[in-house]
């Protein structure tokens, strides 16, 4: 099988692991920096190029699209879909999962448990938005933030309002979310592939920090999920139409609350702390999907 991996660099841990696992299964792999790809659009003859070479020989595509370049990366994935290639995660799913507000709107509609969240684009509505979210402290999140960046803890409504107002003045959109005290500094990431959770880790923030992201110094450890937690993670991934995802949630006294669903979850932290070969599980899933496609055709 010919596998195309869309990645900014072949030296990234997740990309290297996918290449290694593909090679062990006897597949040919091509790594392409999607930010160096360009599209030619003509009626009835769509095409995609990397340098002076067309991309025209792949059985399956694994997109590893960075959060800061989601729109361009998704455009390249969309062109590959138009060309008829099987993409593990579709362009529309990547865009939806990366939009923090849109994703929780979609998940909320389908009954996924979430922290109480408020959003407004006008200073005049801030008091009401904050009031409806609940008591302080509150979490204020930049919609464009990733890896724990742009996430602030406001200890009063006045502070929350000041933070949101400052973001607005910078033309940066933010949302306000309830703070779950019993889960402060701890969250869980579940890797979902197809219809099952293949690995999960707990992330604990360093002392004095409420953000548990590994990029913020969070400490990972393997964790066993309850049946209900697995069902919630799988359902959240399915609702956003992602074949491979990282579902982040908090454990609370009322059950799991989903924080985010990542369409390109990193593999280093979870493979190192659980010892599970997640990259191989991803490649085996691609094989299964390609087999289904061939049998259907």
């Amino acid at each position: 099988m010919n596998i195309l991996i869309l990645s900014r660099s072949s030296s990234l841990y997740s990309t290297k692991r996918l290449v290694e696992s593909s090679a062990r299964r006897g597949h040919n792999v091509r790594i392409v920096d999607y930010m160096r790809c360009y599209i030619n659009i003509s009626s009835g003859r769509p095409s995609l190029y990397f340098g002076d070479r067309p991309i025209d020989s792949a059985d399956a595509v694994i997109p590893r699209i960075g959060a800061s370049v989601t729109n361009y990366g998704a455009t390249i994935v969309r062109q590959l879909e138009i060309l008829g290639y099987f993409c593990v995660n579709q362009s529309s799913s990547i865009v939806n999962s990366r939009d923090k507000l849109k994703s929780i709107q979609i998940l909320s509609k389908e009954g996924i448990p979430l922290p109480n969240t408020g959003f407004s684009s006008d200073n005049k509505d801030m008091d009401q938005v904050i009031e409806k979210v609940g008591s302080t402290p509150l979490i204020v999140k930049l919609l464009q933030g990733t890896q724990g960046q742009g996430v602030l803890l406001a200890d009063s409504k006045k502070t929350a309002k000041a933070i949101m107002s400052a973001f607005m003045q910078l033309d940066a959109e933010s949302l306000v979310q309830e703070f779950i005290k019993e889960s402060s500094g701890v969250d869980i990431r579940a890797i979902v592939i197809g219809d099952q959770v293949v690995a999960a880790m707990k992330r604990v923030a360093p002392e004095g920090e409420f953000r548990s992201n590994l990029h913020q110094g969070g400490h990972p450890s393997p964790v066993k999920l309850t049946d209900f937690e697995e069902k919630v993670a799988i359902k959240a991934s399915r609702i956003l139409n992602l074949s491979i995802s990282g579902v982040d949630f908090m454990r609370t006294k009322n059950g799991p609350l989903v924080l985010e669903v990542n369409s390109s979850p990193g593999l280093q932290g979870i493979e190192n702390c659980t010892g599970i070969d997640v990259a191989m599980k991803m490649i085996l899933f691609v094989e299964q999907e390609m087999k289904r496609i061939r049998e259907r055709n």
Side-chain angles (χ1 to χ4, degrees):
M1 184 166 60
N2 294 316
I3 298 176
L4 176 65
I5 299 177
L6 298 180
S7 173
R8 294 307 312 275
S9 172
S10 60
S11 65
L12 294 171
Y13 177 92
S14 298
T15 302
K16 288 193 294 185
R17 290 288 297 113
L18 289 168
V19 171
E20 291 168 1
S21 296
S22 298
R24 283 165 56 194
R25 296 292 295 174
H27 304 307
N28 298 314
V29 181
R30 182 182 179 190
I31 303 169
V32 168
D33 180 354
Y34 50 90
M35 293 303 293
R36 295 291 308 280
C37 291
Y38 60 94
I39 294 169
N40 181 259
I41 302 172
S42 58
S43 182
R45 292 192 305 166
S47 54
L48 177 65
Y49 293 87
F50 179 66
D52 59 354
R53 294 174 57 194
I55 294 178
D56 55 8
S57 59
D59 296 304
V61 179
I62 301 177
R64 300 289 306 175
I65 307 301
S68 63
V69 287
T70 294
N71 288 336
Y72 193 83
T75 298
I76 299 304
V77 176
R78 188 181 307 117
Q79 190 73 357
L80 287 162
E81 292 166 356
I82 290 170
L83 290 166
Y85 294 114
F86 165 67
C87 298
V88 173
N89 282 335
Q90 297 179 358
S91 57
S92 58
S93 303
I94 294 170
V95 170
N96 286 346
S97 68
R98 281 283 164 70
D99 186 325
K100 284 185 172 64
L101 188 61
K102 186 176 183 180
S103 63
I104 62 175
Q105 286 178 303
I106 294 170
L107 294 173
S108 173
K109 180 183 176 183
E110 299 299 326
I112 293 295
L114 305 160
N116 192 359
T117 304
F119 174 76
S120 170
S121 65
D122 196 312
N123 273 320
K124 296 175 184 177
D125 300 317
M126 279 189 190
D127 286 327
Q128 293 297 322
V129 170
I130 292 171
E131 187 71 31
K132 286 178 171 56
V133 168
S135 59
T136 54
L138 295 165
I139 300 293
V140 181
K141 290 183 180 180
L142 271 177
L143 294 187
Q144 298 83 9
T146 60
Q147 299 173 347
Q149 298 174 352
V151 180
L152 301 171
L153 181 64
D155 58 4
S156 68
K157 293 180 180 179
K158 183 179 179 180
T159 302
K161 187 175 179 179
I163 294 170
M164 295 173 72
S165 180
F167 283 153
M168 283 185 183
Q169 291 175 26
L170 296 171
D171 292 324
E173 294 181 309
S174 63
L175 55 81
V176 60
Q177 220 166 44
E178 68 174 316
F179 176 71
I180 310 298
K181 187 175 181 179
E182 71 260 32
S183 299
S184 176
V186 181
D187 74 0
I188 291 172
R189 166 159 289 186
I191 300 294
V192 180
I193 300 180
D195 59 358
Q196 63 178 317
V197 173
V198 301
M201 66 177 172
K202 179 170 68 174
R203 301 179 295 193
V204 180
E207 187 175 352
E209 176 63 73
F210 71 96
R211 296 169 297 178
S212 54
N213 306 69
L214 299 187
H215 288 83
Q216 301 299 327
H219 175 71
S221 60
V223 65
K224 182 172 176 55
L225 304 188
T226 66
D227 290 344
F228 182 66
E229 288 170 342
E230 288 197 5
K231 287 178 182 177
V232 168
I234 293 166
K235 184 178 179 181
S237 185
R238 186 182 298 130
I239 288 169
L240 291 173
N241 197 31
L242 292 168
S243 296
I244 295 174
S245 71
V247 181
D248 297 342
F249 66 89
M250 294 184 298
R251 281 176 165 165
T252 76
K253 59 187 178 182
N254 296 318
L257 293 181
V258 173
L259 301 171
E260 187 175 353
V261 182
N262 193 316
S263 58
S264 297
L267 303 183
Q268 186 169 10
I270 199 155
E271 285 196 337
N272 288 343
C273 84
T274 64
I276 295 172
D277 192 341
V278 178
M280 179 59 75
K281 290 182 181 295
M282 289 172 64
I283 298 304
L284 292 174
F285 173 78
V286 173
E287 291 179 4
Q288 292 170 3
E289 290 302 296
M290 289 305 302
K291 182 180 178 182
R292 287 196 189 102
I293 291 170
R294 291 191 184 105
E295 289 175 348
R296 190 166 61 240
N297 295 335

